[in-house]
Amino acid sequence: MNIENNEVKSLNFIEEIIEHDNETGKHNKRVLTRFPPEPNGFLHIGHAKSICLNFGLGKKYSGATNLRFDDTNPTTEKVDYVNSIQNDVRWLGFEWDGEVKYASDYFENLYTCAQTLIKKGLAYVDFSSPDDIAKQKGTPTQAGTGNAYRETSAEENLSLFEKMRKGEFKDGECVLRAKIDMASPNMLLRDPVIYRIKRAHHHRTGDNWCIYPMYDFAHPISDALEGITHSICTLEFEPHRPFYEWLLAELGLYNSQQIEFARLNLTYTVMSKRKMLKLVEKQLVNSWDDPRMPTISGMRRRGYTAKAIRDFAVAVGISKRESMLDVSLLEHFIREDLNKISKRVMAVIDPIKVVISNYETGKTELLPAENNPEDSNAGHRELSFSNTIFIEREDFNENPPKGYFKLTPNGYVRLKHAYIIKCEELIKDENGNLVEIRASYVENSKSGSDTSGLKVKGVIHWVDANNYHPVQINWYDRLLTIENAADIPEDEEFTDYINPNSLKTITAWGEKSLADAKAGEHFQFMRKGYFCVDTESAAAAPIFNLTVELKDSWAKELKKQS
Ligand code: ATP
Ligand code: MG
């Protein structure tokens, strides 16, 4: 795994290219990047990495970044997706240059570009069936073969292409292909299709067009028309670059420089809009922004912060080699940020009742508790304490192993922000299950004014059983049961690997202050984890989404490396 240190001196390879270009004046020292999503789904954490990279470079080099929707495939694209994508980019903390741009803004220019190719004898209308076109393409080891349509005159092709636009042919009846080289070792140069007929309503251009440009044709031309200097994309586009370069040279357009980097992959999840759509459609999750989803909107709802995601994107750096990142590394960055901003509260998930026999029945005491030791401005709140409290069942052990510092028979433990208690007696039901603990409290042991002289190692959380607030929790776990979704055999469905325990709904016993929790607010349930109040749940019945548990397997590892 490659964690680059985030220091000014270490440039990543794209920054090196840009700095070199600025030195040589290649793009007139301009830096204009773009983020070009296809609006066919919600964005995921991989896109977040691309956003941070593109907008980050725009900012760093005093340039700018365009947001351009690659909306060339109307059958899968939706306005809802367009809106959610803009929302996600802004939430991540970035702003695009000028108006939002769309490949569909350039449909007319793209059409003219296609005509230019035809006039130069570099594009032709092909009526072969898709099967025949595929067969004629050859294989990686065998050259393709041209067909008779390659020989049609430019005049004839111009007229046929115009008829395509006018709707004189059926969907799929013919395509426009670039005429390059059917024997090229690069299959993508074997006369790629650049226009197809598709009678589909477009979310922006309506029914104006029945022909749509292919992505590989529209993308480099859109970059050129916008004057993009550095066109950053993922590795799979490397073999497409020769076609882009051929196209722009033949059209005499600005040659945006394409630079490829390895996509982000994360363990225990899927990272493809097609697969995420399947999860939504099959109702295996509740929505695109289900907190289990790897979507930016799902992560936001779960309680991930934009800052943590940006920090993660910078820390993992960029590379030229595909790799799989441990999702717990992302979680490490989430904790780092939440630790600074979350209000500490106490909630007991699996309670056992403790009755404090020497504490006056009916009495309630208010004890001060700091809201966040990491933030001196976070203030204090008051916790109520009485003779009956709940503690976590796992914080008591009748047969403690060596070194166990929580509550044990006749042992002492400190209640956070409150008193030291001693376990005096166990009450069990007829099956021998523990149902209640009787304890005593040490009177002069109150936190902040402890004069008891007792040395007690264990500190546990608790909630006043006479004054608590019930808390609805969505307890999330990994989406998949398999670490690397790419390991799923061809003949199996990835949906068979959905973790049946990815969501558990539970009720916890929370301190009273949680009654005032606001949607989107972050909390640390002490010793348990970080939680965020769901933004989609009703204010009257707020749900606390588990953002991440407290245990961090990366903290030590990263310290070692730095
Ligand atoms: P998916 O494969 O998830 O459907 P996509 O590549 O089809 O994604 P686009 O909308 O075309 O989605 O992506 C917009 C931009 O985000 C592209 O520049 C793409 O290279 C980048 N991107 C997509 N997935 C990742 C990823 N996993 N890591 C980094 N960048 C990504
Ligand atoms: Mg794509």
Side-chain angles (χ1 to χ4, degrees):
M1 226 239 338
N2 155 39
I3 297 172
E4 297 201 355
N5 69 12
N6 178 23
E7 285 174 27
V8 188
K9 65 178 173 12
S10 72
L11 297 179
N12 66 44
F13 75 92
I14 299 182
E15 291 167 339
E16 274 171 13
I17 293 172
I18 292 179
E19 297 207 355
H20 180 75
D21 290 346
N22 283 349
E23 272 160 31
T24 59
K26 181 165 176 186
H27 300 280
N28 288 324
K29 303 192 176 186
R30 235 170 20 99
V31 174
L32 179 62
T33 56
R34 86 285 172 267
F35 175 64
E38 187 184 353
N40 61 349
F42 280 51
L43 298 180
H44 52 58
I45 180 78
H47 295 114
K49 177 170 174 177
S50 176
I51 291 168
C52 292
L53 178 61
N54 279 297
F55 285 88
L57 290 169
K59 242 184 206 170
K60 175 165 182 178
Y61 293 102
S62 308
T65 304
N66 289 350
L67 172 63
R68 178 175 70 241
F69 287 99
D70 257 312
D71 54 349
T72 53
N73 190 5
T75 45
T76 56
E77 296 162 4
K78 280 200 220 159
V79 179
D80 282 357
Y81 299 143
V82 169
N83 294 337
S84 79
I85 289 171
Q86 294 183 44
N87 190 26
D88 285 350
V89 172
R90 287 203 163 119
W91 178 76
L92 276 174
F94 299 108
E95 190 58 48
W96 47 88
D97 192 43
E99 298 281 301
V100 174
K101 298 179 174 53
Y102 297 85
S104 57
D105 293 342
Y106 313 130
F107 279 175
E108 202 60 54
N109 310 60
L110 292 162
Y111 183 80
T112 309
C113 287
Q115 284 178 316
T116 304
L117 288 185
I118 295 173
K119 285 179 201 157
K120 292 180 80 174
L122 295 174
Y124 60 99
V125 176
D126 191 333
F127 288 83
S128 310
S129 69
D131 269 358
D132 283 343
I133 290 182
K135 264 184 230 145
Q136 289 161 8
K137 271 243 152 139
T139 67
T141 51
Q142 204 178 14
T145 47
N147 62 33
Y149 297 108
R150 278 192 125 225
E151 311 312 324
T152 312
S153 71
E155 292 73 34
E156 177 72 12
N157 277 318
L158 269 182
S159 144
L160 289 171
F161 187 48
E162 200 183 330
K163 285 183 178 165
M164 278 174 71
R165 177 178 183 167
K166 285 187 174 155
E168 294 184 21
F169 302 117
K170 292 195 295 285
D171 280 19
E173 191 174 342
C174 57
V175 292
L176 184 71
R177 296 175 74 177
K179 186 171 168 181
I180 311 177
D181 178 5
M182 287 305 289
S184 171
N186 181 340
M187 300 265 294
L188 296 167
L189 291 178
R190 294 182 190 172
D191 294 11
V193 172
I194 56 178
Y195 262 93
R196 63 212 192 284
I197 306 173
K198 201 173 218 176
R199 285 173 178 77
H201 187 81
H202 188 283
H203 62 104
R204 298 194 77 239
T205 59
D207 297 312
N208 292 351
W209 294 86
C210 66
I211 56 171
Y212 290 98
M214 300 301 286
Y215 174 86
D216 270 350
F217 183 72
H219 191 77
I221 296 177
S222 303
D223 275 353
L225 293 175
E226 291 174 11
I228 300 299
T229 56
H230 301 85
S231 175
I232 298 161
C233 61
T234 38
L235 286 182
E236 69 272 21
F237 289 100
E238 196 162 5
H240 297 243
R241 180 156 30 99
F243 171 64
Y244 300 164
E245 285 168 356
W246 174 89
L247 183 63
L248 297 177
E250 292 297 348
L251 294 170
L253 290 176
Y254 189 81
N255 200 347
S256 311
Q257 181 175 350
Q258 176 167 304
I259 308 170
E260 304 88 7
F261 73 102
R263 49 199 303 132
L264 172 74
N265 298 301
L266 273 192
T267 53
Y268 296 105
T269 192
V270 289
M271 201 83 88
S272 123
K273 282 183 278 187
R274 195 175 47 78
K275 287 186 174 152
M276 296 193 304
L277 177 64
K278 195 162 195 176
L279 292 173
V280 176
E281 283 180 341
K282 286 187 138 189
Q283 301 185 348
L284 295 163
V285 294
N286 295 318
S287 53
W288 280 97
D289 68 350
D290 186 305
R292 285 169 291 182
M293 289 283 267
T295 51
I296 298 175
S297 50
M299 292 181 166
R300 174 168 62 237
R301 224 177 124 180
R302 178 131 174 201
Y304 287 21
T305 63
K307 178 179 189 303
I309 293 175
R310 289 194 305 266
D311 289 348
F312 166 74
V314 170
V316 301
I318 52 164
S319 94
K320 273 280 189 190
R321 215 157 33 102
E322 288 286 347
S323 66
M324 171 64 67
L325 279 189
D326 189 340
V327 66
S328 63
L329 179 63
L330 170 59
E331 292 172 342
H332 165 80
F333 284 91
I334 305 302
R335 287 189 197 93
E336 288 273 291
D337 191 33
L338 291 179
N339 177 44
K340 297 190 197 102
I341 63 169
S342 305
K343 190 170 170 184
R344 271 60 170 171
V345 290
M346 295 201 283
V348 172
I349 310 272
D350 180 18
I352 179 88
K353 194 155 92 172
V354 178
V355 176
I356 301 164
S357 320
N358 61 342
Y359 195 88
E360 192 183 326
T361 310
K363 177 179 167 185
T364 291
E365 199 175 344
L366 293 176
L367 304 170
E370 60 185 345
N371 285 330
N372 185 353
E374 301 287 322
D375 177 1
S376 52
N377 297 319
H380 285 72
R381 68 191 185 288
E382 287 184 324
L383 294 171
S384 78
F385 182 81
S386 70
N387 76 330
T388 311
I389 61 170
F390 292 122
I391 67 167
E392 213 70 67
R393 196 171 277 273
E394 65 179 18
D395 284 339
F396 172 79
N397 195 329
E398 199 170 349
N399 304 297
K402 204 167 169 271
Y404 185 86
F405 296 125
K406 292 172 275 182
L407 198 59
T408 59
N410 300 313
Y412 290 88
V413 78
R414 168 163 305 278
L415 301 173
K416 181 74 183 170
H417 299 307
Y419 296 96
I420 294 171
I421 57 167
K422 181 185 181 203
C423 172
E424 304 282 1
E425 188 187 347
L426 305 179
I427 312 292
K428 297 184 175 177
D429 65 11
E430 63 277 14
N431 300 319
N433 297 318
L434 184 64
V435 290
E436 186 183 312
I437 294 170
R438 297 270 162 86
S440 60
Y441 84 111
V442 179
E443 217 168 310
N444 53 354
S445 67
K446 199 195 280 190
S447 279
S449 57
D450 181 0
T451 54
S452 70
L454 282 177
K455 293 259 178 294
V456 172
K457 279 199 175 153
V459 184
I460 63 172
H461 61 279
W462 55 276
V463 165
D464 183 354
N466 287 310
N467 196 17
Y468 66 90
H469 183 73
V471 177
Q472 298 304 319
I473 290 178
N474 278 347
W475 190 279
Y476 294 109
D477 196 356
R478 307 275 185 246
L479 178 62
L480 297 185
T481 53
I482 188 167
E483 187 168 314
N484 186 348
D487 291 341
I488 296 172
E490 285 275 322
D491 56 343
E492 288 182 35
E493 275 283 354
F494 82 95
T495 48
D496 294 340
Y497 289 83
I498 302 284
N499 178 3
N501 298 317
S502 59
L503 168 59
K504 282 192 218 151
T505 51
I506 53 181
T507 305
W509 283 253
E511 62 173 71
K512 202 71 187 178
S513 74
L514 285 169
D516 303 324
K518 307 271 180 310
E521 203 176 346
H522 300 280
F523 292 95
Q524 185 197 92
F525 289 6
M526 296 178 85
R527 304 180 60 234
K528 283 289 157 192
Y530 291 100
F531 291 79
C532 180
V533 183
D534 192 80
T535 44
E536 303 300 313
S537 59
I543 290 174
F544 288 72
N545 291 326
L546 170 66
T547 309
V548 63
E549 289 183 71
L550 278 186
K551 200 167 148 258
D552 189 344
S553 53
W554 274 98
K556 251 195 230 151
E557 189 62 29
L558 292 181
K559 223 177 220 146
K560 251 190 269 160
Q561 291 190 17
S562 66

